[in-house]
Amino acid sequence: MPYSSLSHLECSATGERYDADQVQGVSAAGKPLLARYDLEQVRAGLTKEEVASRPHDLWRYHEVLPVRDPAHVTTLGEGMTPMLPLPAYGASIGLPGLMMKDEGLVPTGSFKARGAAVGVSRARELGVRAVAMPTNGNAGAAWSVYAARAGIGSLIVMPVDAPEITRRECVVAGAELYLVDGLINHAGALVKAAVEQRPGYQEVSTLKEPYRIEGKKTMGYEIAEQLGWEVPDVILYPAGGGVGLIGIHKAMQELQALGWIGEKLPRLVCVQSTGCAPIVDAFHAGLTESTLVEGTHTLAFGINVPKALGDFLVLEAVRESGGTAIAVSDETILAETTALAHAEGSWVCPEGAACMAAARELRESGWIGEQERVVVLNTGTGLKYPDTVSVDVPTLARDGVVPRR
Ligand SMILES: *Cc1c(COP(=O)(O)O)cnc(C)c1O
């Protein structure tokens, strides 16, 4: 069996087929392209036992990833992140079986590394000279780092407000970095114009190239594998561009085609911030697309996306899986960050904390039942957002004393 069973690309809106062995952006209709595989071939030639015997990274699913030649695999050890039970915190919000898939442990400290590893590997295989992207920070950091490892260039544009650490990650990896006084959509326009001037550069904005989502879908494969090839009842995901959510849904459909999971699909919850909730609003208004929101703001920077190219795919995945969409405030995010760290020791990113807050609210409203198996995605480490915790402690004199208790 070949290393990859990639067969072609397909327009996510019209189903039109595209050659997967050419560098591709979006479809003629301007919509995201999705990678398709010969799943019959994989079904006949690969067993769950074989997968179980492989190294613990996302490349263990290489038959359903797009890289054809393992020589192009660019890896820093991403994937197979822990699935942690949260007994104390879970019990406190009425969900004793709550689990967290902790993406804070991947290289670059956010799950963007999954998309970057697969996207950069495939770009390298197809002969791309440099990748170019707008970013809210974490994606730019991840793509710069993987591009460096692959020996290709990177051009990154991010808002001046993006977390400062992510600038440093780009710079240390040798990226060509620019800041813009605006939001990610402004950065996107700048990148688009630059790429038109530069031969050999590929624009790799969210869902404007087909392979980032392939990296992110491995979260879905891992969740199923880590639960013994069963799916949870509910998965909560903090959606910006929504790639991870669309990817997890795609993974579940592929797993069904492989016969590795049954009929049941996890109900997918799209979590956003009240400061930027275009997809949540569209969901509750019964729309199939979102509307651009002006003046968005949230400390959960990774989900500050005023209008996502794949919004219709997120809405489709949420509806098809029987899921829902919910927005939470920055105040709740901060409170949840501390509550979780106090109870379990884990410092999650604000986007992850947003999902915890959403789980609490959906349990309170009865949308999630007490005995349900619930997985929250923590998409990054809290260490990348040091300002979410303020420290107000006494300083002791050298000859002072620690107060008695
Ligand atoms: C990018 C990002 C998200 C949102 O991911 P999308 O795939 O754009 O929906 C969530 N959390 C963190 C930490 C991120 O960096």
Side-chain angles (χ1 to χ4, degrees):
M1 202 167 50
Y3 188 74
S4 168
S5 289
L6 178 66
S7 64
H8 63 279
L9 299 173
E10 191 179 281
C11 172
S12 55
T14 67
E16 194 186 346
R17 288 173 73 111
Y18 289 78
D19 183 356
D21 291 304
Q22 304 284 324
V23 175
Q24 302 279 9
V26 291
S27 72
K31 300 295 183 190
L33 292 172
L34 298 177
R36 297 299 179 203
Y37 301 83
D38 183 347
L39 295 175
E40 283 304 313
Q41 183 183 59
V42 181
R43 187 177 177 138
L46 181 65
T47 61
K48 297 172 184 174
E49 292 70 31
E50 162 70 18
V51 170
S53 72
R54 292 180 176 173
H56 280 229
D57 60 38
L58 62 77
W59 300 99
R60 66 205 271 110
Y61 309 111
H62 60 75
E63 286 87 351
V64 289
L65 291 174
V67 180
R68 295 201 190 277
D69 178 350
H72 294 296
V73 167
T74 306
T75 180
L76 293 161
E78 57 289 335
M80 263 305 176
T81 51
M83 180 82 95
L84 299 173
L86 301 177
Y89 176 79
S92 78
I93 66 167
L95 288 171
L98 184 67
M99 283 171 289
M100 173 169 81
K101 185 149 178 70
D102 194 2
E103 297 289 305
L105 278 81
V106 292
T108 75
S110 92
F111 77 140
K112 291 293 192 306
R114 291 181 187 264
V118 174
V120 165
S121 297
R122 184 66 177 149
R124 169 182 173 181
E125 183 163 71
L126 293 175
V128 169
R129 237 178 67 209
V131 291
M133 73 186 329
T135 173
N136 273 335
N138 283 332
W143 283 72
S144 310
V145 164
Y146 281 87
R149 180 127 169 113
I152 65 181
S154 54
L155 165 64
I156 312 288
V157 185
M158 68 170 74
V160 281
D161 293 339
E164 218 186 286
I165 179 67
T166 61
R167 292 182 201 173
R168 298 182 195 278
E169 291 177 273
C170 294
V171 169
V172 79
E176 182 184 348
L177 173 69
Y178 300 95
L179 305 179
V180 59
D181 185 12
L183 290 179
I184 188 164
N185 43 329
H186 305 116
L190 289 164
V191 168
K192 189 167 189 288
V195 167
E196 281 162 13
Q197 310 291 324
R198 296 190 182 193
Y201 277 66
Q202 189 193 7
E203 189 184 349
V204 294
S205 317
T206 303
L207 290 170
K208 286 198 179 172
E209 65 75 53
Y211 302 117
R212 180 201 298 216
I213 180 173
E214 295 304 293
K216 284 193 173 178
K217 85 177 176 191
T218 56
M219 291 186 292
Y221 278 81
E222 288 177 21
I223 289 171
E225 184 177 356
Q226 288 171 315
L227 296 178
W229 299 107
E230 278 183 23
V231 302
D233 297 297
V234 177
I235 299 176
L236 294 106
Y237 176 85
V243 189
L245 190 145
I246 306 165
I248 290 172
H249 190 59
K250 183 173 189 279
M252 294 302 162
Q253 291 172 327
E254 289 174 2
L255 285 167
Q256 285 183 331
L258 293 172
W260 290 5
I261 61 170
E263 289 291 293
K264 178 180 143 183
L265 288 174
R267 278 140 55 210
L268 299 178
V269 181
C270 165
V271 180
Q272 296 196 301
S273 151
T274 48
C276 179
I279 301 180
V280 174
D281 292 345
F283 177 81
H284 293 291
L287 303 174
T288 53
E289 252 189 55
S290 65
T291 340
L292 176 86
V293 191
E294 302 284 348
T296 58
H297 183 81
T298 169
L299 67 95
F301 219 79
I303 57 175
N304 190 354
V305 179
K307 164 80 180 151
L309 185 66
D311 53 359
F312 70 104
L313 295 171
V314 176
L315 289 160
E316 221 172 85
V318 168
R319 287 182 177 128
E320 262 178 37
S321 68
T324 190
I326 180 171
V328 300
S329 70
D330 278 7
E331 273 166 27
T332 336
I333 289 175
L334 289 173
E336 223 62 65
T337 306
T338 312
L340 179 71
H342 277 36
E344 306 284 359
S346 182
W347 187 0
V348 300
C349 65
E351 296 82 356
C355 291
M356 299 293 170
R360 183 194 290 273
E361 281 188 33
L362 291 172
R363 175 70 199 99
E364 274 167 12
S365 73
W367 193 86
I368 301 180
E370 186 179 4
Q371 295 311 320
E372 290 198 292
R373 229 171 179 190
V374 179
V375 173
V376 163
L377 276 161
N378 172 42
T379 44
T381 170
L383 294 175
K384 291 191 90 168
Y385 306 75
D387 299 339
T388 55
V389 177
S390 52
V391 177
D392 182 17
V393 300
T395 302
L396 302 174
R398 285 185 194 184
D399 58 353
V401 285
V402 175
R404 293 171 71 127
R405 278 271 166 92

